[in-house]
Amino acid sequence: MPEDWQRALAVVAHPDDLEFGGAGAVARWTDEGRTVTYLLATRGEAGIDGMPPEEAGPLREREQVASAAVVGVEQVDFLDHQDGVIEYGLPLRRDIAAAIRRYRPELVVITNHHEVWPGGFRNMADHRHVGLAALDAVRDAGNRWVFRDLLDAGLEPWQGVRWVAVAASPFATHAVDVSRTLDRAVDSLREHRVYLAGLGGDMADPDTFLRRAAEETGRRFGGVPAVSFELIAL
């Protein structure tokens, strides 16, 4: 992965999306003195079957903020799009473009926007729509004549995004060594306590799930525990 950058913006649909894919890399980057900001399209309010959205949203927001702090992320923003029914379109692109102009990242991190996950399992609409909108918003952020109201808000164009890194992509091209930060990635996912308790299955066990994934990735990339990305150069 490129290392000649200082600011990253991670754009995902829900609380826990980064923790199931890229938090180990985020911990390494913040340890190296880089700044990473999280931007979430929703508060994950539709993610717990046994809890109404009015209760789940604030709880999952608190879990996400605590989770981000474990890997050195201090700024976590929420866009308040509706969980489960996020639509790709201009409002979402505008919101993400505004954040790109505000935080001026060189690297934008998203989660898998493709139709399937590695292994062939079908991806959900929220992930696909947010990922695609973020890709398009990178270009929107650099064009002063797109979303001209952002200029009135004092958000000047930003053309400085050099890469988009797609976590959990079936087309991974690069990886980050997380051998020193894997424990913190596990602890970061554990902060989603209520969500994990309602999830069940293998994914509810952060230690086993993340270590197995890091080891599998490492067999392809260098033989050490790693997190993989599809890197798109701009």
Side-chain angles (χ1 to χ4, degrees):
M1 288 285 288
E3 296 187 349
D4 56 331
W5 59 271
Q6 287 299 316
R7 297 181 306 277
L9 178 67
V11 184
V12 297
H14 318 103
D16 79 73
D17 283 354
L18 284 162
E19 287 68 45
F20 275 113
V26 171
R28 174 170 172 169
W29 294 332
T30 59
D31 283 353
E32 293 171 343
R34 309 176 204 275
T35 299
V36 181
T37 299
Y38 283 3
L39 180 71
L40 287 88
T42 78
R43 297 177 192 268
E45 66 273 11
I48 302 176
D49 185 65
M51 183 179 294
E54 296 77 16
E55 296 178 21
L59 182 146
R60 297 202 69 199
E61 176 186 348
R62 292 192 297 271
E63 290 188 337
Q64 179 61 73
V65 171
S67 174
V70 173
V71 294
V73 174
E74 299 178 357
Q75 185 70 42
V76 182
D77 293 350
F78 298 85
L79 295 178
D80 285 326
H81 289 260
Q82 189 176 351
D83 185 16
V85 292
I86 302 174
E87 295 184 343
Y88 173 88
L90 295 180
L92 182 58
R93 281 171 49 188
R94 179 197 176 279
D95 287 346
I96 299 172
I100 292 171
R101 292 189 183 191
R102 182 176 299 113
Y103 292 111
R104 306 173 81 80
E106 299 144 277
L107 173 70
V108 170
V109 179
I110 64 175
T111 52
N112 180 23
H113 62 294
H114 298 292
E115 292 290 331
V116 298
W117 297 104
F121 299 102
R122 184 167 177 79
N123 198 359
M124 70 173 295
D126 280 3
H127 298 146
R128 303 196 315 270
H129 294 169
V130 172
L132 182 58
L135 280 170
D136 291 336
V138 168
R139 178 171 291 179
D140 298 333
N143 187 333
R144 72 173 56 251
W145 308 124
V146 176
F147 304 126
R148 295 170 67 174
D149 60 310
L150 296 181
L151 295 174
D152 297 333
L155 296 173
E156 290 293 321
W158 173 247
Q159 299 177 353
V161 178
R162 299 163 64 192
W163 309 276
V164 175
V166 186
S169 169
F171 307 110
T173 56
H174 293 66
V176 174
D177 179 351
V178 297
S179 53
R180 295 185 179 181
T181 57
L182 185 53
D183 288 344
R184 283 167 61 204
V186 171
D187 290 342
S188 181
L189 181 53
R190 280 182 176 144
E191 289 293 335
H192 296 275
R193 293 181 179 88
V194 177
Y195 175 72
L196 292 174
L199 186 63
D202 292 344
M203 294 181 69
D205 180 355
D207 193 76
T208 300
F209 182 86
L210 291 183
R211 292 186 193 282
R212 182 189 300 134
E215 290 169 0
E216 290 176 356
T217 300
R219 283 194 284 271
R220 179 181 174 191
F221 293 98
V224 296
V227 170
S228 66
F229 296 91
E230 174 188 357
L231 190 68
I232 303 171
L234 302 173

